[in-house]
């Protein structure tokens, strides 16, 4: 937080439920301290039935804005004045900026994912790439929209709920004019497409602690050294999926970069300042290990 809380300190909130394991306050307050700007970032455990009141409180109490986490990213949308194009397409918001009483909804999850890919692999560009995303939930939708907006060549969504994957592919195809397919992961077609992909992303909770012995791909042998294999999970830091992919010679990345860069972009929206990325990364690593 700022060295001294005073009458001019602007509050940035984090709304979630549960909230106690969040790493965001450590990361955001480290950035605020580094720049010496007069903000403070505080987590709030919001009653699930009272999210509308919580959003309204941003206006009532002149908060600078709020980050929104599980389970409210979609629920806040009806209470906002405006959405960015990205947030509209995703249908979910993780960052609300209070612009003189106007609440503007942003989604920095997808752009954060792209920034993380670029930070891990300087030469990476989503343009003309074939991407496979396992899972078709909120995270898959955010990264799918961000990739399609940056003119990726093809996106394949594979979810155990096949209908969900098909619906998401339809949205990407119809709204962003990018070749997209939705299917079950248990098909030969899926494994053929996964073998041809430049990037494969796990956007399911499979492999997350305590399910650390599970892997979202049953046939891992399709992975090869020219692929970039990404897991959105960051606890454990190396999932079974990433460990196996690494052994097969692929470049790998976990979900910590996405978490960092969604925070970096949110910080810049809240404060208008360039975020001190190295400071935020260090604080995030400490918070995640704690
Ligand atoms: P979600 O909304 O629950 O979506 C996950 C989807 O994957 C569900 O439809 C689920 O179906 C499906 N699924 C489960 N097992 C599968 C399998 N073996 N193969 C194919 N599909 C499967 O979750 P989310 O919010 O999108 O989050 C997904 C993951 O991303 C989580 O691990 C989350 O922690 C991570 N995440 C990371 C960041 C970051 O910053 N690094 C940000 C957001 C999310 P069922 O519901 O039927 O199981």
């Amino acid at each position: 937080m700022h060295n001294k809380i005073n009458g001019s300190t602007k509050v940035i909130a984090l709304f979630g439920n549960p909230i106690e394991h969040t790493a965001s306050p450590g990361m955001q307050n480290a950035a605020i301290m580094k720049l010496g700007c007069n903000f403070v970032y505080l987590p709030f455990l919001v009653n699930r039935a009272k999210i509308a009141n919580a959003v309204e409180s941003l206006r009532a109490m002149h908060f600078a804005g709020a980050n929104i986490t599980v389970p409210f990213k979609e629920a806040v949308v009806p209470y906002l004045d405006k959405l960015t194009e990205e947030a509209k397409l995703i249908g979910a918001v993780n960052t609300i900026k209070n612009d003189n009483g106007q609440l503007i909804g942003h989604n920095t999850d997808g752009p954060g994912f792209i920034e993380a890919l670029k930070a891990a692999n300087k030469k990476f560009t989503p343009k003309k790439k074939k991407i496979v995303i396992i899972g078709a939930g909120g995270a898959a939708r955010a990264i799918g929209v961000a990739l399609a907006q940056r003119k990726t060549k093809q996106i394949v969504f594979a979810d155990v709920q096949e209908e969900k994957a098909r619906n998401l592919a339809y949205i990407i195809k119809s709204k962003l004019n990018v070749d997209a397919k939705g299917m079950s992961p248990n098909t030969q077609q899926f494994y053929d497409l996964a073998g041809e992909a430049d990037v494969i992303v796990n956007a399911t909770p499979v492999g997350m602690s305590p399910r650390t012995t599970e892997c979202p791909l049953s046939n891992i042998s399709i992975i090869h050294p020219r692929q970039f294999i990404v897991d959105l999970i960051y606890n454990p830091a190396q999932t079974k999926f990433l460990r196996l992919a690494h052994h097969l010679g692929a470049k790998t990345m976990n979900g910590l970069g996405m978490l960092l860069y969604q925070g970096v972009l949110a910080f810049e929206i809240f404060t208008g300042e360039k975020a001190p990325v190295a400071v935020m990364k260090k604080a995030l690593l400490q918070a995640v290990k704690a």
Side-chain angles (χ1 to χ4, degrees):
M1 77 197 79
H2 185 246
N3 292 340
K4 229 186 231 167
I5 302 277
N6 58 29
S8 306
T9 303
K10 297 187 199 85
V11 178
I12 304 167
L14 170 65
F15 293 161
N17 187 342
I19 200 78
E20 53 272 27
H21 297 299
T22 177
S24 291
M27 166 169 74
Q28 296 289 348
N29 285 316
I32 290 167
M33 285 280 268
K34 174 71 183 172
L35 299 193
C37 44
N38 198 358
F39 290 86
V40 63
Y41 186 100
L42 297 170
F44 293 87
L45 176 68
V46 175
N47 183 321
R48 284 175 189 244
K50 297 282 185 190
I51 186 62
N53 303 56
V55 173
E56 193 46 41
S57 72
L58 299 175
R59 227 188 311 254
M61 298 197 284
H62 299 97
F63 281 21
N67 273 143
I68 308 299
T69 187
V70 178
F72 299 122
K73 289 185 186 184
E74 290 165 17
V76 296
V77 169
Y79 309 112
L80 304 178
D81 299 307
K82 229 161 99 179
L83 296 181
T84 61
E85 205 44 45
E86 200 135 34
K88 250 186 242 169
L89 285 165
I90 297 167
V93 157
N94 76 334
T95 301
I96 301 173
K97 161 102 168 157
N98 183 0
D99 197 358
N100 291 318
Q102 245 219 334
L103 300 183
I104 301 167
H106 300 251
N107 194 310
T108 67
D109 283 333
F113 171 77
I114 305 282
E115 289 306 309
L117 287 181
K118 287 186 189 162
N121 184 351
K122 296 277 178 267
K123 288 190 199 135
F124 182 82
T125 159
K127 217 170 171 181
K128 298 189 182 161
K129 296 286 190 308
K130 290 184 172 182
I131 317 275
V132 162
I133 300 176
I134 312 168
R141 185 161 170 155
I143 67 176
V145 165
L147 287 162
Q149 283 180 320
R150 288 156 183 81
K151 297 288 163 235
T152 202
K153 186 174 181 182
Q154 182 187 64
I155 307 179
V156 175
F157 296 98
D159 198 292
V160 284
Q161 298 189 52
E162 194 175 339
E163 185 73 11
K164 223 164 135 179
R166 284 184 195 279
N167 286 342
L168 185 47
Y170 176 76
I171 290 166
I172 298 287
K173 210 161 36 180
S174 58
K175 304 241 160 132
L176 290 161
N177 205 20
V178 163
D179 177 15
K181 301 180 198 309
M183 60 190 65
S184 154
N186 305 314
T187 59
Q188 189 53 46
Q189 187 196 10
F190 166 69
Y191 278 100
D192 291 345
L193 289 164
E196 291 167 12
D198 299 292
V199 182
I200 304 178
V201 184
N202 175 32
T204 79
V206 178
M208 189 152 62
S209 198
R211 295 167 64 188
T212 52
T213 57
E214 296 176 39
C215 176
L217 275 189
S218 47
N219 177 7
I220 204 83
S221 66
I222 53 102
I223 290 177
H224 56 78
R226 290 184 309 285
Q227 291 179 315
F228 194 1
I229 306 297
V230 182
D231 204 321
L232 299 191
I233 294 169
Y234 52 85
N235 182 13
Q238 193 185 42
T239 56
K240 183 174 178 185
F241 180 46
L242 290 191
R243 196 168 57 248
L244 293 172
H246 176 73
H247 284 313
L248 289 165
K251 183 168 177 55
T252 61
M253 180 181 97
N254 72 13
L256 207 66
M258 176 173 168
L259 185 63
L260 170 66
Y261 282 99
Q262 64 74 32
V264 163
L265 297 172
F267 180 87
E268 294 181 349
I269 290 168
F270 293 134
T271 65
E273 306 272 358
K274 182 114 192 68
V277 178
V279 168
M280 293 177 81
K281 185 175 180 180
K282 190 171 165 205
L284 180 61
L285 283 168
Q286 274 168 358
V288 168
K289 277 184 196 142

